[in-house]
């Protein structure tokens, strides 16, 4: 997969799937743009990326729920690299709660998982059209069916919206030869559950429970999900658009 001279913008690149994707793109000689709130973690990922092919990534500290920050991402990227070839809308928050917990949880999930992706994509779209680039959204199996072992209503709704965004946008952008696809992981090892507010012990219990229930008996590694993102954004996937790719160790089967 050749990403030489391609500019790849990845949100949520400070940990987990986004960090793994950044490293894979860097190994393929891409110019990567790393976005997240935790600057220290972003800089660590940037250092690892630079060590692969000697290309220095652009680090952008941004809170995707803040409109000015999102605008700044595109401005800085274009000022630095002049183009955008791939947009990976990967950043996401796991907001758990039920309908009894109030609408604030809905707003939080939608702000990052949907609105930020929509806004960033709208600002990046003119540049993606110029390069005939492509978009990969990182959704979840939670967008395709309810999560049954925990109350995850706001999160599930946000990922379902993101999937419809992928499909509608793929139709719209096809006329500009820009492809749009989605990767929908099941349980994957990352900081996700802790960022959603679970303690280390609860995460260990959740992972154990999931492993026992998944047909393949394990969670995915972030690198495996990153591999699929890379493939979909590469020229090898030039005939794929509007597709939702599940990577879940068989979770959807049970
Ligand atoms: N792990 C799983 O089991 C799983 C399953 C299905 C889908 N997913 C999806 O995979 C994607 C990546 O998650 P992950 O598993 O890699 O989890 P993670 O390790 O917690 O990474 C989430 C990333 O999103 C960023 N982020 C969150 N809120 C942000 C905000 N307001 N502004 C900017 N960046 C923000 C975080 O960066 P900062 O903290 O630096 O801001 C971090 O880099 C998410 O969309 C998630 O919904 C994960």
């Amino acid at each position: 997969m050749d990403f030489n001279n391609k500019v790849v913008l990845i949100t949520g690149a400070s940990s987990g799937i986004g960090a793994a994707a950044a490293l894979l793109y860097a190994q393929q000689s891409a110019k990567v743009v790393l976005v997240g709130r935790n600057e220290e973690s972003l800089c660590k990922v940037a250092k690892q990326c630079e060590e692969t092919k000697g290309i220095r990534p652009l680090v952008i500290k941004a809170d995707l729920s803040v409109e000015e920050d999102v605008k700044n991402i595109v401005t800085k990227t274009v000022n630095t690299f002049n183009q955008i070839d791939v947009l990976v809308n990967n950043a996401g928050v796991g907001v758990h709660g039920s309908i009894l917990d109030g609408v604030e949880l809905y707003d939080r999930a939608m702000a990052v998982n949907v609105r930020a992706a929509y806004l960033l994509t709208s600002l990046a779209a003119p540049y993606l059209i110029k390069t005939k680039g492509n978009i990969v959204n990182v959704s979840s199996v939670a967008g395709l069916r309810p999560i049954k072992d925990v109350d995850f209503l706001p999160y599930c709704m946000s990922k379902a919206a993101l999937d419809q965004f992928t499909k509608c946008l793929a139709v719209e952008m096809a006329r500009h030869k820009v492809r749009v696809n989605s990767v929908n992981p099941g349980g994957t090892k990352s900081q996700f559950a802790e960022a959603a507010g679970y303690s280390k012990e609860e995460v260990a219990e959740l992972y154990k429970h999931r492993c026992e229930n998944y047909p393949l008996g394990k969670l995915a590694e972030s690198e495996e999900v990153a591999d699929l993102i890379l493939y979909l954004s590469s020229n090898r996937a030039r005939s794929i658009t509007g597709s939702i790719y599940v990577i879940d160790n068989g979770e959807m089967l049970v």
Side-chain angles (χ1 to χ4, degrees):
M1 281 182 266
D2 187 9
F3 285 94
N4 200 18
N5 282 323
K6 302 282 187 203
V7 177
V8 181
L9 198 171
I10 309 160
T11 65
S14 57
S15 75
I17 295 166
L23 202 53
L24 288 188
Y25 281 115
Q27 284 164 359
Q28 301 296 324
S29 304
K31 295 171 183 165
V32 289
V33 182
L34 311 177
V35 176
R37 290 165 303 180
N38 186 330
E39 203 169 13
E40 197 185 330
S41 299
L42 287 173
C43 289
K44 276 188 197 151
V45 176
K47 187 167 177 286
Q48 288 175 317
C49 289
E50 191 171 351
E51 279 164 6
T52 63
K53 298 281 180 182
I55 303 166
R56 177 168 296 180
L58 172 63
V59 168
I60 304 177
K61 182 181 175 183
D63 182 338
L64 290 164
S65 62
V66 176
E67 201 155 321
E68 275 314 304
D69 281 14
V70 179
K71 288 179 183 162
N72 196 32
I73 294 168
V74 175
T75 307
K76 274 194 177 159
T77 301
V78 174
N79 284 348
T80 307
F81 292 131
N82 244 325
Q83 69 191 61
I84 305 174
D85 296 275
V86 178
L87 170 62
V88 183
N89 282 313
N90 163 74
V93 282
V95 181
H96 56 96
S98 81
I99 194 69
L100 301 175
D101 295 320
V103 78
E104 186 270 331
L105 299 178
Y106 170 93
D107 291 339
R108 189 142 52 89
M110 287 294 179
V112 178
N113 299 353
V114 185
R115 192 178 192 279
Y118 193 108
L119 176 60
L120 181 58
T121 303
S122 73
L123 297 171
Y127 301 98
L128 291 164
I129 289 169
K130 271 192 207 159
T131 56
K132 295 190 171 53
N134 71 82
I135 299 164
V136 179
N137 293 323
V138 180
S139 180
S140 168
V141 292
L144 303 169
R145 69 168 196 187
I147 301 284
K148 293 172 198 131
D149 54 356
V150 282
D151 284 341
F152 240 61
L153 177 60
Y155 181 74
C156 292
M157 285 182 69
S158 70
K159 292 300 190 180
L162 191 63
D163 287 349
Q164 189 66 340
F165 177 55
T166 296
K167 290 186 237 176
C168 296
L169 191 64
V171 173
E172 192 177 315
M173 295 294 267
R175 71 181 77 114
H176 304 291
K177 307 296 177 213
V178 172
R179 301 183 297 106
V180 188
N181 290 293
S182 179
V183 169
N184 292 43
T188 304
K189 290 182 209 161
S190 72
Q191 298 306 306
F192 181 76
E194 277 180 53
Y198 291 99
S199 67
K200 276 196 174 14
E201 294 70 32
E202 285 169 330
V203 173
E205 192 50 43
L206 196 68
Y207 278 12
K208 183 170 166 283
H209 179 247
R210 297 239 155 123
C211 288
E212 283 164 5
N213 285 287
Y214 289 178
L216 290 181
K218 64 180 184 63
L219 276 77
E221 302 291 334
S222 286
E223 290 72 18
E224 297 173 67
V225 181
D227 247 337
L228 186 52
I229 295 170
L230 214 75
Y231 171 75
L232 286 172
S233 64
S234 78
N235 198 40
R236 288 188 194 177
R238 59 191 171 276
S239 298
I240 304 176
T241 197
S243 290
I244 305 284
Y245 277 79
V246 168
I247 169 165
D248 71 344
N249 285 292
E251 180 181 344
M252 290 280 288
L253 300 172
V254 293

